[in-house]
Amino acid sequence: MVFSDLATQTIVNGLLLGGIYALAALGLSLVFGIMDIVNLAHGHMLMVGAYIAILVFAATGITPLVGMVLAMALMFGLGVLLQKVLLKHVVDEGLEQPIIILFGLALILQNLGRVILGGDARTADIGIPGNGFDIGIAFMSFPRTVTFIVAVLLIAATWAFLQYTKTGQAIRATAQNRTAAKHMGINTDQIYVITLGIGTALAGAAGALLSMLFPIDPYVGWSYLLKTFAVVVLGGVGSVLGTLVGGLVLGVSENLGALYLGGGYRNVVSLLIFLAVLLVKPEGLFGGSGGGE
Amino acid sequence: MAFIERAPGESVATDRRVLAVAALAVLWLITVPFTTTDSLTGLILTGLVFVMLGVSWNLLAGYAGQISLGHAAFFGMGAFVTAWLTTPTAGGFPESIQLPVIPAMLIGALAAALIALVIGPIIFRLSGHYFAIGTLALAAVIELIMLDRRDLTGGATGYYIQADLSLGEVVSHGDVMFYLTLIATIATVVITYLIVRGPTGLGMKAIHDDEDAASSLGVNPLKYKMYAFVVSSFFAGLAGALYGHYTLYINPQSTLAVTWTIDALVVVILGGMGTFSGPIFGAGLFLLLDNGLSAIVSGYSEAVEGILIILFIIFLPTGLYGLFKEYLIEETDGSDGAHD
């Protein structure tokens, strides 16, 4: 009997999903922590990444795991362009301008997604949904397991990049104190460009992975924005490890919520957790490490 | 020589020519149901709903400085509470609570204000980015719950509202709704004007400009935020009630979806955030774009809206009002032109 315990299975599935949530949230968290901007278009960027993988898969049959690399490259470019063209002049000018520019970008991406692909939900079903293996307490489906491993590897790579490269150190220095970093000779403009590029690329990667598990439609952007922001709040702005923990917590609680309250409440559970955490500690559970309000 | 002259800090709205233009606009609006087709009347009614949404969102965001992304929640709840009162059985309520349309709408708007009153002290613990995303999440929670409660809302299918207001053969339901919407819009504009011109408006501007400084000078930020939030929600709820009872159909997506928040925001950005007449101009331009332009760019109207708000916020942050001000209004002395 594979499903010996429905709750255990649900928790395992939640953990596997949570890894991708963590990856999706990492980009949002980095940009928030370093640039003090909440990327309102983050969920829509994730949607675009998913569509790139879906289109590549539909046209050539190439697995979304490879499509993900293309999605990351293209989305990195989009992030760089976004910073250089639109956000450069407003990034340090308070809340209103950046938030409205990113809101506008979300509208544009959502519209393009709908026009190019139609309003229907699509997925990159790689055709081995039933396959997997039993680990005794639960059944591990291949797509979920593989996407989880890839997500965690990407998170680890991002952490190593921030920890051990010169650019990564400059990024962390900028997050700690923008002005001081500038005085130390760090080109903060350049840091912002790289940060938004990485943040956007990570959104694209998470989207490509999610396209292997769930149908994606042009309107999922808002929902994923809220999910990823919930992870950021749970994990603390700018904290890589915190984001991983937050993602896992969100994945598990969503799945348990869907199990016990009904599928319609999957998203309600994550939003309520999110609002509850915000209200207990408005700057996030482990807040204060990065920029933030 | 500019069209209008004014002293610093003085309101443009007291200029007789501005009042005359406003009066002419209202007179023209009164003739609309008799001089145009039903569909055009409906279109202009929608424009008035956009004015109400824009003016109310602007009070909260432009004046009190609280960028809310949850405006749709109040629009939708105003629409639903009103629908429950006019058509109780469709929402699973006893027929005995049925009310005539106008009191039902007022209660719907009050219900939206009441929700704001209850939620306000909690949600205002958040500030800046957290407030924006928190309100977006709150609106999403309300939409999802309402979508799930099929017994109350008809779920995704929704239901038809029974509230035919036509007066015999002469005045159709749409025309009656048009006049109600016109009256409500004028009330929204006048009341909001009185608020932002009065001491409460000054308090809001103070916390918008620098909350900490205002607080240290004895201004209670929460009081002014709450004031803006509750009034803003009342008018958003009223707009929703009117819109729902114009279309005579309601479901969670048609009234609670994030698109209404987007519309409010686009109207205000196009017109000029934190300027009093901005949302009124903005609603006009938005209506033209939403209909005229969508015929030209077909499926791309949403993207065009996105591009426009980006261009406006970068190059013309004071919106259409800023353009008007530059060419039509001349300051007689000094340059205190902000927040009109």
Side-chain angles (χ1 to χ4, degrees):
Chain A
M1 180 69 193
V2 174
F3 294 102
S4 58
D5 185 349
L6 195 55
T8 314
Q9 181 66 44
T10 305
I11 290 168
V12 169
N13 282 349
L15 287 172
L16 294 179
L17 179 60
I20 311 184
Y21 283 171
L23 176 67
L26 186 56
L28 187 69
S29 185
L30 283 179
V31 171
F32 193 8
I34 292 151
M35 302 171 69
D36 204 12
I37 284 181
V38 169
N39 181 4
L40 280 188
H42 194 76
H44 292 80
M45 291 170 166
L46 182 148
M47 177 268 291
V48 174
Y51 271 148
I52 292 171
I54 290 169
L55 285 181
V56 168
F57 178 71
T60 63
I62 293 173
T63 168
L65 293 175
V66 178
M68 179 188 82
V69 179
L70 178 69
M72 287 181 77
L74 289 174
M75 298 306 282
F76 186 88
L78 176 72
V80 167
L81 213 62
L82 174 64
Q83 172 61 21
K84 287 198 164 177
V85 178
L86 291 179
L87 293 176
K88 193 176 177 197
H89 302 289
V90 299
V91 66
D92 289 331
E93 300 292 319
L95 179 74
E96 283 167 17
Q97 287 186 313
I99 217 168
I100 285 161
I101 287 172
L102 290 162
F103 196 83
L105 181 70
L107 288 186
I108 296 169
L109 294 179
Q110 176 171 307
N111 192 197
L112 294 182
R114 183 173 56 74
V115 172
I116 295 170
L117 292 134
D120 296 336
R122 299 176 62 161
T123 177
D125 189 343
I126 52 174
I128 46 165
N131 292 351
F133 51 95
D134 198 339
I135 54 163
I137 52 163
F139 177 77
M140 310 279 282
S141 92
F142 273 133
R144 279 178 189 265
T145 310
V146 170
T147 49
F148 174 80
I149 292 169
V150 173
V152 173
L153 286 177
L154 280 171
I155 293 169
T158 310
W159 178 80
F161 169 78
L162 289 173
Q163 210 65 30
Y164 298 116
T165 65
K166 257 206 138 54
T167 314
Q169 284 165 354
I171 289 175
R172 284 188 294 134
T174 310
Q176 277 171 12
N177 190 330
R178 207 176 282 177
T179 324
K182 216 173 223 165
H183 288 311
M184 301 301 282
I186 291 171
N187 182 349
T188 50
D189 286 345
Q190 193 65 29
I191 293 298
Y192 285 174
V193 170
I194 296 168
T195 303
L196 203 61
I198 293 173
T200 312
L202 291 175
L209 294 178
L210 280 166
S211 77
M212 296 169 66
L213 304 180
F214 300 110
I216 303 286
D217 68 54
Y219 307 101
V220 297
W222 301 117
S223 157
Y224 280 112
L225 169 69
L226 290 171
K227 278 188 212 288
T228 49
F229 198 76
V231 173
V232 173
V233 166
L234 278 168
V237 177
S239 157
V240 178
L241 189 64
T243 306
L244 183 59
V245 174
L248 298 177
V249 169
L250 188 76
V252 170
S253 41
E254 253 192 28
N255 272 9
L256 286 176
L259 177 66
Y260 290 113
L261 300 172
Y265 282 89
R266 169 182 288 275
N267 289 327
V268 177
V269 169
S270 57
L271 290 172
L272 288 178
I273 290 175
F274 166 47
L275 285 170
V277 172
L278 272 187
L279 297 172
V280 176
K281 201 156 182 295
E283 64 284 349
L285 272 190
F286 309 99
S289 56
E293 284 284 330
Chain B
M1 179 68 189
F3 176 65
I4 301 163
E5 288 180 8
R6 64 157 187 180
E10 183 194 317
S11 167
V12 179
T14 51
D15 186 289
R16 281 189 190 166
R17 278 164 297 192
V18 173
L19 285 176
V21 170
L24 280 176
V26 171
L27 281 176
W28 169 71
L29 283 168
I30 289 171
T31 68
V32 159
F34 297 104
T35 52
T36 61
T37 59
D38 280 353
S39 64
L40 201 56
T41 304
L43 196 66
I44 297 171
L45 181 150
T46 315
L48 294 173
V49 169
F50 287 144
V51 171
M52 293 177 74
L53 269 178
V55 167
S56 63
W57 189 75
N58 189 39
L59 182 70
L60 185 60
Y63 282 91
Q66 305 302 307
I67 310 268
S68 160
L69 298 178
H71 215 51
F74 302 98
F75 182 86
M77 289 314 294
F80 262 109
V81 171
T82 308
W84 290 332
L85 291 171
T86 58
T87 321
T89 48
F93 293 99
E95 201 165 354
S96 56
I97 68 162
Q98 186 173 13
L99 283 178
V101 175
I102 294 175
M105 282 180 183
L106 288 175
I107 293 176
L110 282 172
L114 186 68
I115 296 171
L117 194 65
V118 173
I119 289 171
I122 308 168
I123 200 88
F124 281 125
R125 293 190 57 200
L126 310 176
S127 64
H129 295 113
Y130 290 98
F131 178 78
I133 308 271
T135 48
L136 185 64
L138 187 73
V141 168
I142 292 177
E143 187 191 355
L144 286 168
I145 290 174
M146 293 289 276
L147 202 57
D148 188 67
R149 292 298 304 269
R150 299 185 59 85
D151 48 335
L152 296 178
T153 65
T157 333
Y159 56 73
Y160 289 95
I161 297 168
Q162 260 101 49
D164 191 349
L165 289 176
S166 51
L167 305 170
E169 297 285 303
V170 196
V171 189
S172 70
H173 170 79
D175 291 352
V176 176
M177 283 310 299
F178 179 87
Y179 285 116
L180 288 179
T181 312
L182 181 59
I183 293 166
T185 308
I186 293 170
T188 307
V189 169
V190 170
I191 292 170
T192 313
Y193 181 79
L194 294 176
I195 291 171
V196 301
R197 276 282 140 196
T200 314
L202 284 177
M204 287 177 193
K205 283 176 225 164
I207 58 165
H208 179 201
D209 293 342
D210 189 338
E211 187 169 329
D212 293 334
S215 187
S216 69
L217 290 170
V219 176
N220 178 357
L222 183 62
K223 181 180 138 194
Y224 291 102
K225 288 180 190 175
M226 281 300 294
Y227 197 105
F229 192 38
V230 171
V231 173
S232 176
S233 301
F234 177 86
F235 288 125
L238 190 58
L242 289 158
Y243 184 79
H245 280 70
Y246 166 69
T247 59
L248 289 176
Y249 167 78
I250 194 166
N251 79 2
Q253 275 131 337
S254 69
T255 55
L256 281 158
V258 69
T259 42
W260 289 105
T261 301
I262 297 172
D263 291 344
L265 191 141
V266 174
V267 160
V268 173
I269 302 300
L270 293 184
M273 196 160 162
T275 69
F276 182 74
S277 42
I280 301 170
F281 297 129
L285 178 62
F286 180 64
L287 197 62
L288 287 177
L289 290 175
D290 212 35
N291 295 276
L293 202 61
S294 70
I296 306 167
V297 296
S298 62
Y300 290 95
S301 57
E302 210 179 18
V304 172
E305 283 167 23
I307 293 166
L308 275 174
I309 61 170
I310 291 174
L311 292 177
F312 267 70
I313 202 71
I314 293 177
F315 296 109
L316 205 59
T318 49
L320 278 184
Y321 174 81
L323 272 185
F324 279 112
K325 202 178 98 172
E326 197 170 320
Y327 292 106
L328 293 179
I329 303 169
E330 191 172 66
E331 303 276 347
T332 50
D333 184 26
S335 59
D336 174 29
H339 300 301
D340 263 273

